[in-house]
Amino acid sequence: MREKDKVAALVPEVIGWRQAIHANPELGFAEHETAAFVAAKLKELGLAVHTNVSATAVVATLTKGTGRRAIALRAELDALPIKEAADVAYASRKDGVMHACGHDGHTAMLLGAAKLLAESEEFDGTVVFVFQPAEEVLGGGKKMIEDGLLERFPVEQVFAVHNWPGLPEGRIGVRAGPQMAAVDDFEIVFRGSGCHAAMPHLGDDPLLAAASFVTAIQRLVSRSVDPLSPAVLSVTQFHGGRFNNFVPGEVKVEGTCRFYDRALSDHCAAEIERVAQAAAAMNGAGAELIYKRGYPPVVNPANGAALAAQAGTDTVGAKRVATEFQPGMGCEDFAFLLQGVGDGAYVWIGAGDVGQRAGLHGDRYVFNDAIIPIGIRFFLNVVQRALPVGGR
């Protein structure tokens, strides 16, 4: 499409937007300055802008032609509670808050696409631009749906991109079926009678119960889940005790379960409860489980994945588009939007190889600005494919 010729000229401005957002990061549901920045840019472009949809979300619509079909494109506004260690001129000005996942890049790319689409006459229908809050952990996508996003802005498909360190730079990955995992969180409190460390016979030991649980629960994946159905259980927190000479009366263990088969949610909850109670009973303690069902898996419908792959081919060429690869065990609350709409796709854009601390959620993470034109072009091609002039 002709807009492609304008992408290169626009990229420096888009990079400037990204860096401005990066320097002023905000946590989930507190993205007030970021939302105001995005809304102001969209209004300058002449889009219909809505800031009363859900929390700090910004939604804009753009209609061309007479077509009645509509699709949505989504980006994220929130940053992470991480102290930035990257040595960049535009580093975070807010101590302990950082765009360590690339949401600043995704937002800037979608703003760039909005600018070029506003100038375009090469699509027929409505594009809904969704800039959502709180993708990280807090479920901003779910809240938007609960607050009526899809009733106010009905669409047939929804698409999102995510930069993907480790995937070669400039490659695009989109697969039909699961692309990201579901995630559930658990918290177990083991309770017993505290006692002096020199007199263990006078109390129970919740630390032993908790330690027994941590080692035993790994059987959940290795022995209770079909080995052909991927699952990961990780214990991530262990808290108990304050003094070197006193056995605590309470120990807390926390962690996550990740899987593609949503039916495993009930299985993990039941198995964690069973093992926790057994570990507690074996050590004369008690156990209380809080199991929190989190994001569902991101499962791309075949139709949306095919359209995204075609748009990817338009963007980088067929040889640089992967449709068969191992999905990730990370989670994404785009799953809620994809479930709510029923069609669309979640797409990875390769960001190249990076070190561990420079990867997603690392304190030295740096967004690869070289993929910005790819992201913009991909969004443009999705719109042209989904809303062609003259219909289908």
Side-chain angles (χ1 to χ4, degrees), residues 46-89:
L47 276 64
V49 179
H50 307 267
T51 57
N52 62 344
V53 177
S54 175
T56 50
V58 179
V59 178
T61 58
L62 176 65
T63 300
K64 294 293 178 77
T66 59
R68 296 183 178 180
R69 300 187 61 243
I71 68 167
L73 306 175
R74 185 220 70 166
E76 321 94 306
L77 299 173
D78 58 323
L80 286 155
I82 295 173
K83 182 177 178 63
E84 184 161 14
D87 184 17
V88 293

Side-chain angles (χ1 to χ4, degrees), residues 59-320:
V59 178
T61 58
L62 176 65
T63 300
K64 294 293 178 77
T66 59
R68 296 183 178 180
R69 300 187 61 243
I71 68 167
L73 306 175
R74 185 220 70 166
E76 321 94 306
L77 299 173
D78 58 323
L80 286 155
I82 295 173
K83 182 177 178 63
E84 184 161 14
D87 184 17
V88 293
Y90 52 87
S92 171
R93 298 171 187 163
K94 298 184 179 179
D95 188 45
V97 185
M98 175 191 176
H99 273 290
C101 199
H103 296 180
D104 52 340
H106 307 158
T107 290
M109 290 190 295
L110 188 52
L111 283 173
K115 178 176 176 63
L116 295 183
L117 288 169
E119 301 168 357
S120 172
E121 299 298 331
E122 295 193 18
F123 71 95
D124 186 19
T126 297
V127 181
V128 180
F129 300 88
V130 179
F131 296 85
Q132 77 151 83
E135 187 281 322
E136 301 285 357
V137 181
L138 299 176
K142 180 180 181 182
K143 178 171 173 52
M144 286 194 304
I145 292 174
E146 292 172 345
D147 289 342
L149 172 73
L150 298 180
E151 285 74 27
R152 287 184 64 180
F153 307 97
V155 295
E156 297 178 17
Q157 293 177 303
V158 59
F159 298 89
V161 302
H162 203 294
N163 77 101
W164 206 251
L167 184 67
E169 182 182 308
R171 299 289 181 90
I172 286 177
V174 57
R175 69 192 305 274
Q179 183 141 338
M180 300 288 280
V183 61
D184 289 348
D185 296 326
F186 62 87
E187 174 185 311
I188 307 166
V189 178
F190 293 91
R191 294 187 176 90
S193 300
C195 61
H196 195 285
M199 306 171 188
H201 60 292
L202 298 181
D204 302 316
D205 194 341
L207 277 168
L208 278 179
S212 298
F213 168 81
V214 171
T215 56
I217 196 56
Q218 293 306 319
R219 73 168 301 280
L220 187 154
V221 172
S222 65
R223 289 296 180 267
S224 75
V225 173
D226 185 337
L228 298 180
S229 181
V232 173
L233 182 145
S234 294
V235 175
T236 56
Q237 296 187 55
F238 195 111
H239 303 283
R242 295 180 57 196
F243 306 105
N244 194 45
N245 64 349
F246 193 84
V247 177
E250 183 174 300
V251 176
K252 182 186 293 185
V253 176
E254 298 185 40
T256 71
C257 302
R258 295 168 186 265
F259 38 79
Y260 303 127
D261 180 359
R262 194 59 175 158
L264 284 176
S265 181
D266 289 341
H267 175 75
C268 288
E271 188 71 0
I272 290 171
E273 174 75 22
R274 188 182 70 79
V275 174
Q277 294 299 337
M282 183 173 64
N283 291 280
E288 179 184 356
L289 169 67
I290 299 174
Y291 193 85
K292 305 172 185 176
R293 288 172 171 80
Y295 296 174
V298 175
V299 181
N300 289 331
N303 186 54
L307 188 148
Q310 291 170 343
T313 296
D314 297 338
T315 303
V316 296
K319 292 183 178 180
R320 297 175 68 81

Side-chain angles (χ1 to χ4, degrees), residues 337-350:
L337 279 173
L338 200 51
Q339 282 187 348
V341 174
D343 199 7
Y346 183 75
V347 178
W348 293 342
I349 299 179

